[in-house]
Amino acid sequence: MLEQHSEQISSDPIITANFPRYNNDSKQDKYEKSENLKLLCDLANELELNTVKFFGDPMRSIGEGFILEGELINTFVESLREAMKNEGFKKRAAEREKESKQAVALTKRYIDRLCVNNQHPLYAQSIVLCYQREQASKINLKQSDDFLKKYLVELKAHLPADCFVGWWWKREYQTDLGHRYYLILFCDSLLESFDPIAVQNTYGPLWRHITEEQGDYFLPPAINNWQLNLGTEDFDYGLAGLMFKIQCMLMRDIFSRLKLSHKLVRFDMGEMPRLTNATLPHKSADLDY
């Protein structure tokens, strides 16, 4: 009885291939997969690996016995290696990486300019704007983008005079929160009109008002303090730490990024300030991207 049971267990597949099926036209998927994942899925589908049950035995026959398990795996690996040598694939992958690096460079330049043009230390308030769970599926991308644009205009009017000097945001998507925005507000901290309590009491209620009570917001868990003092040497709360967080958000688009729709951008910032000082601040200029 024990021997029969052992034989039954050994005859069961120990590995089932589960390659995701990539569909670039899927309306359910808001994100574009990386070029590497597209290639992996295309080859897996071509070889019908989703229908194969593996036993972990390279000498075991697959299906009708025309190919061994090890041969199928080797075929897949070799096909993947050859496809990655294709100039078209390498060009698409390089363009995607270049786009993310350019986004980081543009953001760095913008924040450098803000620092140069403001004599006082800047503070960066990080918040996430999103939607209530029961409303998220009802708001499309165009509506959400219109809400954000109106919010940024109204925000400047509601904050203390002249303290709001810039902003940066990146759009993302979660099924239960809808299109969400990682927003950073830059304020001049030493102006007499600057009031951190007023800022805190403004951005949340204003977002709910602009979105007709459909919106929600929260502080990113990674931020332990509500403000990032750009004048400090402390990495967690200084300019270098802020740029590192932004770089991580932008560079992950190499692997998974929102699909473009209505010609709307994935991230944006305030108008690029003109230089008023020829010397850029060394703290961010020396960062290696």
Side-chain angles (χ1 to χ4, degrees), residues 124-279:
Q125 168 69 64
S126 301
I127 58 177
V128 174
L129 305 175
C130 54
Y131 297 94
Q132 299 175 22
R133 294 176 185 272
E134 60 273 16
Q135 304 296 332
S137 62
K138 303 175 184 178
I139 302 172
N140 62 38
L141 175 57
K142 184 63 170 59
Q143 292 172 315
S144 182
D145 190 70
D146 289 341
F147 281 144
L148 179 64
K149 290 176 180 176
K150 184 176 181 181
Y151 175 77
L152 290 171
V153 172
E154 293 290 325
L155 189 64
K156 187 172 181 63
H158 282 77
L159 288 178
D162 300 325
C163 82
F164 184 27
V165 300
W167 48 263
W168 180 95
W169 60 259
K170 184 176 188 293
R171 193 195 324 267
E172 297 178 336
Y173 182 84
Q174 280 185 245
T175 303
D176 55 346
L177 299 178
H179 287 95
R180 65 188 186 109
Y181 304 89
Y182 191 109
L183 174 66
I184 301 174
L185 308 176
F186 298 98
C187 298
D188 188 325
S189 63
L190 295 186
L191 287 180
E192 291 184 5
S193 59
F194 176 70
D195 183 355
I197 302 301
V199 175
Q200 288 179 311
N201 292 338
T202 297
Y203 60 73
L206 180 60
W207 176 245
R208 290 197 174 107
H209 172 71
I210 293 296
T211 59
E212 302 170 355
E213 303 303 322
Q214 300 175 93
D216 204 351
Y217 74 99
F218 61 89
L219 298 182
I223 307 300
N224 298 319
N225 193 337
W226 83 272
Q227 59 192 8
L228 294 169
N229 185 352
L230 302 187
T232 184
E233 296 292 342
D234 189 328
F235 180 83
D236 289 334
Y237 302 107
L239 180 56
L242 176 63
M243 285 303 307
F244 178 75
K245 291 181 176 69
I246 291 176
Q247 179 185 13
C248 289
M249 283 190 285
L250 291 172
M251 294 303 291
R252 69 186 179 209
D253 279 2
I254 295 174
F255 309 102
S256 183
R257 66 183 181 187
L258 277 177
K259 293 178 181 178
L260 287 178
S261 180
H262 303 290
K263 297 182 179 180
L264 300 178
V265 296
R266 300 182 182 92
F267 83 102
D268 202 3
M269 63 199 74
E271 182 178 355
M272 182 69 69
R274 293 184 177 180
L275 269 179
T276 58
N277 187 326
T279 304

Side-chain angles (χ1 to χ4, degrees), residues 36 39 43 79-87 89-90:
N36 290 307
L39 181 61
L43 288 176
S79 298
L80 191 60
R81 287 174 176 169
E82 287 302 313
M84 292 182 70
K85 296 177 183 178
N86 181 274
E87 290 301 322
F89 166 79
K90 290 193 290 187

